Amino acid sequence: MHGLKRERGILFVISGPSGVGKNSVLTQLLKEVPGLCYSVSATTRQARKGEVDGVNYFFMTREQFLEKVETGDFLEHEEYVGNLYGTPRGYVEKELSEGCDIAMDIECRGAAQIKRMMPEAVLIFLTPPSMEELKARLLARSTDSQEAIEKRVKKAEVEMGEIYTYDYYVMNDDLRTAVEDIKKIIGAERLKVSRLKRPSVTK
Ligand code: 5GP
């Protein structure tokens, strides 16, 4: 048997509380997993030190963002601790239809919206080893104000309850182990027969 081909690319949605290490895990995955690309989100949040427009996010004003909401440019969008975040529709649809797999880092409500629209999407929840550890990581990161950190910790407690709506969970205690766990998930999902394009029936 030969010529087995998948119908479409797979969407891997990675969520988890702020500070859990989604960025580090994703950076590593994109380096190590061939055929995986990253969907860059749009946001109205201020760029953090070292963040690059078009690489980490498409940074924009609230007005620009809302204009894009009006024109249907986002697959989903949500407000998160006072800032707007959205997934550009065009990029995701193009890559998936060309058979490329996409990873994205979005919060829980956005992930739930994606799952409703695309039940075949794979939702992965990255969890910290404990809430104490999460708080320590947010403080160590020191890219946010004290007030922003406190808001994010409160939000994290709510977000942890969303884990039961996900397909998989991965604990980020050790970066290497977390990356390997997600690579196993990606590998298994890529081998699902249900994702194969079926040959047209000829008599
Ligand atoms: P941060 O400001 O720390 O970069 O991101 C804050 C939260 O917004 C994170 O939980 C991240 O996953 C989420 N986020 C980033 N991009 C998007 C997006 O396009 N849509 C949604 N719904 N959430 C996003």
Side-chain angles (χ1 to χ4, degrees):
M1 206 167 169
H2 60 278
L4 295 177
K5 225 174 158 264
R6 279 192 280 128
E7 189 84 46
R8 274 165 70 75
I10 309 169
L11 190 53
F12 293 97
V13 178
I14 301 188
S15 304
S18 189
V20 74
K22 286 167 289 179
N23 270 344
S24 315
V25 166
L26 272 161
T27 304
Q28 214 46 45
L29 281 173
L30 293 165
K31 276 190 203 151
E32 296 178 26
V33 181
L36 185 68
C37 41
Y38 181 66
S39 162
V40 179
S41 295
T43 185
T44 61
R45 156 166 91 55
Q46 291 283 315
R48 293 187 185 124
K49 209 167 153 235
E51 283 184 330
V52 178
D53 188 37
V55 175
N56 304 93
Y57 280 107
F58 295 109
F59 294 100
M60 55 185 70
T61 63
R62 213 171 171 90
E63 289 67 37
Q64 287 168 328
F65 192 100
L66 294 174
E67 218 167 89
K68 287 190 180 291
V69 171
E70 281 300 302
T71 48
D73 284 9
F74 294 128
L75 196 56
E76 62 73 41
H77 65 278
E78 286 292 342
E79 182 139 7
Y80 184 92
V81 293
N83 297 304
L84 295 167
Y85 295 84
T87 304
R89 182 191 297 280
Y91 177 78
V92 172
E93 287 181 350
K94 178 175 171 288
E95 294 298 320
L96 292 181
S97 67
E98 288 175 1
C100 294
D101 296 337
I102 299 185
M104 57 169 68
D105 159 6
I106 69 176
E107 52 68 67
C108 302
R109 282 165 306 151
Q113 278 193 55
I114 298 265
K115 191 73 176 176
R116 274 195 297 276
M117 283 183 280
M118 301 178 177
E120 68 287 1
V122 180
L123 267 51
I124 303 170
F125 194 98
L126 200 60
T127 101
S130 67
M131 290 310 280
E132 289 69 38
E133 173 64 23
L134 183 73
K135 209 169 179 176
R137 287 185 197 173
L138 278 170
L139 286 167
R141 184 162 87 175
S142 69
T143 44
D144 295 298
S145 65
Q146 185 65 32
E147 192 197 343
I149 292 174
E150 271 158 29
K151 272 192 193 163
R152 281 165 187 261
V153 171
K154 271 212 184 89
K155 185 98 184 159
E157 281 159 8
V158 178
E159 284 171 325
M160 285 303 294
E162 297 295 322
I163 197 167
Y164 302 101
T165 63
Y166 280 68
D167 297 309
Y168 296 94
Y169 77 94
V170 169
M171 190 186 286
N172 188 17
D173 192 0
D174 165 64
L175 178 65
R176 190 70 250 154
T177 312
V179 170
E180 289 303 327
D181 282 349
I182 298 180
K183 281 166 78 173
K184 286 180 204 153
I185 297 170
I186 295 175
E189 289 290 337
R190 282 180 168 175
L191 295 175
K192 273 192 170 164
V193 172
S194 59
R195 297 191 190 276
L196 284 178
K197 193 182 250 168
R198 291 188 178 249
S200 44
V201 187
T202 46
K203 287 206 170 170

